[in-house]
Amino acid sequence: MDRYLRGMVSHVGFTQVAVPFDRDERLHGETGYPMAKMLKLAADGILGFSTFPLTVISRIGFLASGLAVLGALYALAMKLFAPQNVVDGWTFIVMSVLFVGGLQISMLGILGQYIGRIYREVQDRPLYTVRSVYRHGEGRPPAGAPNGAARVGDA
């Protein structure tokens, strides 16, 4: 299982406070957390709590599609205005490859967005957490809230 425990603890919603301290230099041996483990931890944190990589893929796909359109316009312009510099069939091949490549990456990005939404749903994380509940006679509810209303804080 690739559970990013640090992120899960943070996601619970409790108030957290940093405790600064000075750590002495390591006297003996080497760290038990080499670069490969640190990279895996970083990947678990990014992939476990974010769909940002999928968003990046979508943006790259749309950028590639835009570049494909520009490349196709260039190839067409070369065919129309400088046909002596263009090899026969080059324009069609370039336009086809650029269009299909850009379309494929764009569709992968859109598919990735759907997968990211499914991923967020199957994690079954709550949409919000209740910080505190105020009942009639037990304390003052927040300003503007009816008696017995819960004050809700986003996680």
Side-chain angles (χ1 to χ4, degrees), residues 54-69 97-114:
L54 296 174
T55 303
V56 169
I57 291 170
S58 293
R59 291 181 181 166
I60 289 172
F62 289 121
L63 179 67
S65 294
L67 291 175
V69 168
V97 168
L98 290 174
F99 176 73
V100 170
L103 186 65
Q104 284 179 334
I105 295 174
S106 296
M107 293 300 115
L108 278 175
I110 292 170
L111 185 61
Q113 292 297 316
Y114 278 110

Side-chain angles (χ1 to χ4, degrees), residues 10-83:
S10 174
H11 185 76
V12 172
F14 293 113
T15 303
Q16 296 183 12
V17 177
V19 179
F21 67 96
D22 292 327
R23 189 174 81 77
D24 293 334
E25 222 178 282
R26 180 183 296 272
L27 298 176
H28 303 288
E30 291 185 12
T31 178
Y33 231 77
M35 183 60 77
K37 283 187 179 181
M38 285 191 268
L39 290 174
K40 183 183 180 324
L41 180 67
D44 287 344
I46 292 169
L47 299 175
F49 284 85
S50 173
T51 56
F52 179 72
L54 296 174
T55 303
V56 169
I57 291 170
S58 293
R59 291 181 181 166
I60 289 172
F62 289 121
L63 179 67
S65 294
L67 291 175
V69 168
L70 291 176
L73 290 174
Y74 170 76
L76 193 60
M78 288 296 290
K79 180 70 174 175
L80 293 175
F81 300 116

Side-chain angles (χ1 to χ4, degrees), residues 74-149:
Y74 170 76
L76 193 60
M78 288 296 290
K79 180 70 174 175
L80 293 175
F81 300 116
Q84 68 278 7
N85 296 333
V86 178
V87 177
D88 288 338
W90 177 81
T91 305
F92 177 75
I93 291 172
V94 168
M95 288 176 64
S96 300
V97 168
L98 290 174
F99 176 73
V100 170
L103 186 65
Q104 284 179 334
I105 295 174
S106 296
M107 293 300 115
L108 278 175
I110 292 170
L111 185 61
Q113 292 297 316
Y114 278 110
I115 291 170
R117 291 169 191 235
I118 292 168
Y119 174 69
R120 282 194 297 265
E121 284 295 318
V122 299
Q123 284 178 327
D124 201 27
R125 292 186 178 142
L127 298 176
Y128 58 88
T129 57
V130 176
R131 184 176 300 141
S132 56
V133 176
Y134 297 93
R135 290 186 172 73
H136 183 67
E138 292 182 3
R140 292 187 56 196
N147 285 340

